[in-house]
Amino acid sequence: MLKLFGGMILGSMMTMMLLGGASAANQVLDNIQGLYLDQLTRPDTATTLILLVILSILLSALSMWPQKPVIEPQKFIKKLRRHCK
């Protein structure tokens, strides 16, 4: 969530440049970089657990995904002949 917030602030950097000048934009950018580096050094436990649960659910769903059965060539040819008549 913090990364998304930082992305929104970076996205509005042009508006800050127009309204507050370069000094305001540099100050906001320094704050964002500080928060981002702080988040990287100590990730949130709840976020990590949620990501691990979602990843495990996704991998288990992919492993149990039904596969289409392979039709033998002779049966496939018979089906084609029925439809072509």
Side-chain angles (χ1 to χ4, degrees), residues 67-80:
Q67 295 181 353
K68 190 174 182 180
V70 178
I71 300 176
E72 296 177 12
Q74 294 171 350
K75 289 183 180 179
F76 185 70
I77 293 172
K78 285 182 182 178
K79 287 185 179 182
L80 280 178

Side-chain angles (χ1 to χ4, degrees), residues 6-23:
M8 290 183 338
I9 291 177
L10 286 175
S12 65
M13 202 57 117
M14 260 178 132
T15 306
M16 284 186 197
M17 290 290 288
L18 292 173
L19 297 178
S23 61

